[in-house]
């Protein structure tokens, strides 16, 4: 265990909730990053000389910008390095902090902004569509923060406890690889569960069989419910992947036009 107490680290965690309040175009999040770490830095530097304290403040006011949810983890690693390095080794602290902000910014954007946000929004929107209830936005807010708060809290504490070692794994399996795999699995599971609830594709085609009528939709549902919905989502996914998302608006318009035509001629119900 390091010099910093759990109480001090919790102060850092609470301050990390305000890390987006002091952006500036010159150094981005450097001021808020220094502010959130100040309770711990004061404790680590309480017996240091004035010159060392000034150098420490200047060091952390340098340019810094990453995903907000990754800030506590980077802060934990940075504090561990601050505690373990001598004054003539502080360049290592700056280099590690600067080296982490880029990868975590990309990881946070892809995993959270482009994966978790849409998942939470889809679940919230589905509740609103179902009954127009205000519960949808509240559920979205809860889903987002059920993940965000533990990530920030345990990221800070584990980052401080293990320092730079937390970024490494057995057999070269780094934290970036593990988080990416987790995001992919979670995204596929949730999106797969949302398809039958949010994408409604049903055919109105019927066949006469003797004196009876065979309903194609009922036959498909007996084999695999929501089969047509899955097929449509798969086609849209393959198109977006192949076009790298460049023609999303055109795809939406095409789906609307084709759906309208198919409904008007009696193919879709």
């Amino acid at each position: 265990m390091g010099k910093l107490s759990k109480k001090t680290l919790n102060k850092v965690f609470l301050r990390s909730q305000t890390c987006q309040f002091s952006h500036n175009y010159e150094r981005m999040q450097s001021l808020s990053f220094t502010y959130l770490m100040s309770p711990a830095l004061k404790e680590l530097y309480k017996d240091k000389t004035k010159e060392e304290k000034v150098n420490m403040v200047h060091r952390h006011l340098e340019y810094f910008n990453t995903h907000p949810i990754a800030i506590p983890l980077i802060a934990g690693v940075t504090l561990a390095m601050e505690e373990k390095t001598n004054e003539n080794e502080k360049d290592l602290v700056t280099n590690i902090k600067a080296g982490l902000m880029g990868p975590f910014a990309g990881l946070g954007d892809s995993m959270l902004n482009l994966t978790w946000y849409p998942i939470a929004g889809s679940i919230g929107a589905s509740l609103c569509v179902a009954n127009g209830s205000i519960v949808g936005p509240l559920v979205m807010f809860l889903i987002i923060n059920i993940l965000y708060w533990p990530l920030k809290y345990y990221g800070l504490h584990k980052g401080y406890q293990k320092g730079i070692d937390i970024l490494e794994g057995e057999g070269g399996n780094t934290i970036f690889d593990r988080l990416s795999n987790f995001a992919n699995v979670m995204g596929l599971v949730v999106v797969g569960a949302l398809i039958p609830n949010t994408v409604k594709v049903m055919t109105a085609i019927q066949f006469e069989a003797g004196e009876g009528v065979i309903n194609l939709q009922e036959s498909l549902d007996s084999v695999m419910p929501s089969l047509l919905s899955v097929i449509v989502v798969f086609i849209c996914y393959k198109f977006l992947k192949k076009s790298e998302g460049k023609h999303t608006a055109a795809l939406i318009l095409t789906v609307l036009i084709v759906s309208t035509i198919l409904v008007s001629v009696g193919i879709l119900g």
Side-chain angles (χ1 to χ4, degrees):
M1 194 66 184
K3 298 179 182 179
L4 298 177
S5 64
K6 186 176 181 180
K7 181 179 179 181
T8 301
L9 291 175
N10 286 339
K11 289 181 181 179
V12 175
F13 166 71
L14 291 175
R15 290 193 177 202
S16 70
Q17 310 308 313
T18 63
C19 63
Q20 295 293 86
F21 290 175
S22 58
H23 266 77
N24 64 80
Y25 287 108
E26 181 183 2
R27 301 188 182 183
M28 302 304 285
Q29 299 167 330
S30 63
L31 186 61
S32 57
F33 187 81
T34 306
Y35 167 76
L36 71 91
M37 291 212 307
S38 59
L41 292 173
K42 286 179 181 178
E43 191 169 322
L44 291 176
Y45 277 78
K46 62 182 178 181
D47 297 325
K48 302 290 185 177
T49 65
K50 181 179 179 180
E51 181 181 3
E52 290 175 331
K53 293 177 181 179
V54 170
N55 290 338
M56 174 268 293
V57 174
H58 286 171
R59 182 165 58 250
H60 291 296
L61 286 176
E62 294 180 5
Y63 179 89
F64 181 79
N65 189 39
T66 191
H67 194 279
I69 308 305
I71 287 179
L73 174 59
I74 296 177
V77 174
T78 302
L79 289 171
M81 299 305 297
E82 282 280 7
E83 181 179 320
K84 295 176 181 178
T85 54
N86 298 321
E87 189 63 24
N88 59 356
E89 300 172 326
K90 295 304 180 181
D91 286 345
L92 180 62
V93 178
T94 304
N95 293 337
I96 288 175
K97 187 176 74 170
L100 293 179
M101 65 181 182
F104 273 112
L107 190 63
D109 287 341
S110 60
M111 282 185 55
L112 303 177
N113 293 11
L114 300 179
T115 302
W116 193 247
Y117 252 104
I119 288 172
S122 299
I123 295 173
S126 65
L127 294 175
C128 292
V129 170
N131 50 27
S133 173
I134 196 175
V135 171
L138 297 177
V139 169
M140 177 182 175
F141 176 80
L142 290 174
I143 291 174
I144 289 173
N145 286 283
I146 281 173
L147 176 66
Y148 279 16
W149 277 62
L151 281 178
K152 290 190 282 188
Y153 180 83
Y154 289 106
L156 172 65
H157 285 267
K158 292 298 182 182
Y160 174 66
Q161 290 174 11
K162 297 190 175 182
I164 198 67
D165 293 337
I166 194 175
L167 305 176
E168 301 174 354
E170 296 180 1
N173 187 21
T174 67
I175 189 174
F176 303 106
D177 298 326
R178 297 195 298 271
L179 290 176
S180 296
N181 291 336
F182 171 78
N184 290 334
V185 173
M186 178 63 71
L188 289 173
V189 170
V190 175
V191 171
L194 286 173
I195 289 175
N197 293 324
T198 57
V199 182
K200 303 294 184 180
V201 182
M202 295 180 290
T203 181
I205 297 176
Q206 295 180 342
F207 301 100
E208 293 185 2
E211 298 181 356
V213 176
I214 298 176
N215 187 302
L216 180 59
Q217 183 62 50
E218 292 180 357
S219 299
L220 291 174
D221 287 341
S222 65
V223 176
M224 180 182 291
S226 303
L227 176 60
L228 295 179
S229 299
V230 173
I231 292 174
V232 169
V233 171
F234 178 76
I235 293 172
C236 292
Y237 166 75
K238 296 297 289 186
F239 174 81
L240 290 173
K241 185 177 181 180
K242 186 175 182 179
S243 64
E244 298 180 349
K246 296 178 181 178
H247 305 293
T248 304
L251 175 63
I252 294 173
L253 291 174
T254 302
V255 170
L256 289 174
I257 294 171
V258 172
S259 299
T260 302
I261 293 174
L262 293 178
V263 169
S264 64
V265 299
I267 295 178
L268 292 182

